[in-house]
Amino acid sequence: PAVYSLDGLLVFGLLLVCTCAYVRKVPRLKAWLLSEKRGVWGVFYKAAVIGTRLHAPVAVACVLMAVYVLVVK
């Protein structure tokens, strides 16, 4: 049920971007998961690119979302 709410989608998106950016730093996983740039697997590649190029705003968004989930919600 949490996936259907806006904050659940934001948490899922942030976790996807952070995970793919981490996977991009590991050489074996990068070759295995992020080799395709199109199609379904291309979503993971694009999330990894977003996570590595915009690492500061993504980190700030993760901290703000954590505060929101732990304190506000």
Side-chain angles (χ1 to χ4, degrees):
V3 177
Y4 296 115
S5 64
L6 180 62
D7 56 343
L9 287 173
L10 289 174
V11 168
F12 178 76
L14 284 171
L15 287 174
L16 179 72
V17 167
C18 293
T19 303
C20 290
Y22 176 76
V23 166
R24 189 172 183 175
K25 298 292 183 184
V26 181
R28 285 191 176 191
L29 292 176
K30 180 181 178 182
W32 183 56
L33 288 175
L34 303 174
S35 60
E36 293 292 324
K37 295 181 182 177
R38 292 185 178 166
V40 176
W41 291 103
V43 173
F44 299 119
Y45 173 80
K46 291 174 186 176
V49 170
I50 291 170
T52 53
R53 290 186 183 173
L54 299 174
H55 60 277
V58 169
V60 169
C62 286
V63 170
L64 291 175
M65 186 55 76
V67 168
Y68 172 76
V69 169
L70 292 175
V71 176
V72 176
K73 194 173 179 184

